[in-house]
Amino acid sequence: MSVSFSVLDLAPVVSGGTSAEALRNTLDLARRTERLGYHRYWLAEHHAMPGIASSATAVLIGQVAAVTSTMRIGSGGVMLPNHAPMVVAEQFGTLEALYPGRIDLGLGRAPGTDQATARALRRSPDALSVDDFPEQVIELRGYFGADSKVTPAAGNEPPIWLLGSSGYSARLAGLLGMPFAFAHHFSAANTVPALKLYRESFRPGALDEPYSMIGVSVTAAESDERARELAMPQALAFLRLRQGHPGPLPSPEEAAAYPYTPLERQMIDSRLAEQVVGAPETVQKEMDALIERTAVDEVMVMTQVFDHADRLRSYEILADRLLARRDVEEWAGNRGQGR
């Protein structure tokens, strides 16, 4: 396997917990997953969500970069319509200057919040249309140019990714020759069509060849039953979000005691079916099948569980099953080629 594995973190705030605890857990998870061999660590921008503490994404990226030394650290992503492109260029130019060769700038076109919060972020009553996004991307990239007067962005451009959950960003990433990350954990049914569209649309640009990554929700534990128990809280949190009642990540006990209607139970089962949930053998089998089906270059793993120790253990299990095997196979391949 030549596929790399990375981490997507939303800095989850759990029921009864605080944002400060969530942010400390993020720093701890970054340090530990770096030691386990994960390739990059991305933080996601969401706003006015009681269960997510990663809203000040650029600030948190700097903190994570400061406590790590080898992983690439970036945004998964910055929701560009929420910000003036020049401000994003200044922020990520600063990060690249401080941590050269370690910063990624992933861009999305969704607001990452409700419309009222989006208006507050943009300080404008006018909503941006999807047609504005390509222009924003091009404007942003221009600020990193050597002849730019925007300091410290000029000459400090990190790799820029486009993120998406549909074909729109897939096609745009292909046409601009940029790396593309698809939110499989959010829109599993669209994964393969979007990746196909990206590869078919690709024209050399920032990259000579297409490079794709998918975000996957993974919960690994010692048994299938335990993994499903740990995965239920984030499924319930997603259900509440869909119903317009976002909140902190509930505990397994709260998720087990929740009085699901038949329709809600169906939604939960559907949500879990799109994830990789199970014992080590189950996780390895399902991940191998997903990689084969999508032919991606990289998998970014998001694990949302209530207890921080269980979260760490899930990443450890995945590393034991997939990262260790990848390293052995790469070593064998290099040895066979005399390198």
Side-chain angles (χ1 to χ4, degrees):
M1 289 175 59
S2 59
V3 173
S4 297
F5 287 85
S6 298
V7 178
L8 176 63
D9 185 8
L10 277 65
V13 181
V14 302
S15 179
T18 66
S19 294
E21 292 169 345
L23 296 173
R24 286 194 292 270
N25 286 342
T26 282
L27 299 181
D28 183 57
L29 181 64
R31 285 188 290 256
R32 298 204 186 202
T33 51
E34 179 175 71
R35 291 197 293 268
L36 289 170
Y38 286 88
H39 181 50
R40 56 181 109 231
Y41 196 104
W42 281 7
L43 289 306
E45 177 188 345
H46 293 276
H47 298 278
M49 300 260 186
I52 297 175
S54 57
S55 55
T57 313
V59 175
L60 193 51
I61 288 171
Q63 294 296 309
V64 173
V67 300
T68 55
S69 59
T70 59
M71 277 196 303
R72 299 193 63 88
I73 314 299
S75 58
V78 162
M79 300 296 104
L80 189 54
N82 291 338
H83 311 281
M86 181 175 167
V87 173
V88 176
E90 289 176 335
Q91 292 173 342
F92 280 81
T94 300
L95 290 167
E96 177 66 21
L98 289 170
Y99 305 100
R102 293 188 55 215
I103 301 300
D104 295 324
L105 173 52
L107 301 174
R109 66 185 181 96
T113 185
D114 59 85
Q115 290 301 315
T117 304
R119 285 194 295 270
L121 286 165
R122 300 169 188 175
R123 300 178 63 83
S124 170
D126 299 324
L128 291 170
S129 73
V130 295
D131 294 332
D132 296 313
F133 184 66
E135 294 179 4
Q136 284 188 302
V137 173
I138 293 170
E139 178 186 347
L140 170 63
R141 294 175 71 183
Y143 292 129
F144 290 110
D147 59 347
S148 169
K149 296 181 180 179
V150 179
T151 305
N156 287 308
E157 180 178 3
I160 300 178
W161 292 65
L162 290 191
L163 282 57
S165 58
S166 68
Y168 182 94
S169 292
R171 183 186 295 275
L172 181 60
L175 292 174
L176 295 177
M178 300 171 68
F180 177 61
F182 186 83
H184 175 81
H185 60 289
F186 187 78
S187 183
N190 291 325
T191 302
V192 172
L195 292 173
K196 182 175 184 291
L197 182 60
Y198 168 61
R199 292 164 185 147
E200 291 176 346
S201 303
F202 188 85
R203 304 291 183 271
L207 300 178
D208 293 329
E209 297 179 351
Y211 189 95
S212 60
M213 175 166 62
I214 55 173
V216 182
S217 183
V218 179
T219 305
E222 305 309 324
S223 68
D224 288 344
E225 294 75 15
R226 177 59 176 165
R228 184 176 175 86
E229 178 184 343
L230 295 177
M232 283 295 291
Q234 55 86 13
L236 175 57
F238 186 79
L239 174 65
R240 287 172 168 170
L241 176 64
R242 287 296 197 190
Q243 294 173 338
H245 304 291
L249 186 67
S251 67
E253 293 76 18
E254 184 180 352
Y258 183 85
Y260 300 95
T261 66
L263 179 58
E264 288 174 336
R265 177 64 67 179
Q266 182 180 354
M267 293 176 66
I268 289 286
D269 291 341
S270 176
R271 173 74 175 167
L272 293 177
E274 296 177 347
Q275 303 176 9
V276 176
V277 178
E281 298 81 5
T282 303
V283 167
Q284 180 177 330
K285 179 180 178 181
E286 292 187 6
M287 191 65 76
D288 283 348
L290 179 60
I291 292 169
E292 182 176 0
R293 188 168 72 252
T294 58
V296 289
D297 301 288
E298 191 167 342
V299 174
M300 181 157 277
V301 177
M302 182 186 73
T303 299
Q304 298 279 86
V305 296
F306 181 80
D307 188 86
H308 185 57
D310 290 327
R311 194 176 184 212
L312 292 172
R313 181 59 184 145
S314 182
Y315 281 105
E316 288 173 353
I317 289 172
L318 188 65
D320 289 343
R321 282 282 165 169
L322 295 173
L323 293 184
R325 188 184 68 185
R326 181 200 66 188
D327 292 342
V328 168
E329 291 178 354
E330 287 181 352
W331 173 83
N334 291 337
R335 183 170 178 265
Q337 297 172 33
R339 292 182 297 183

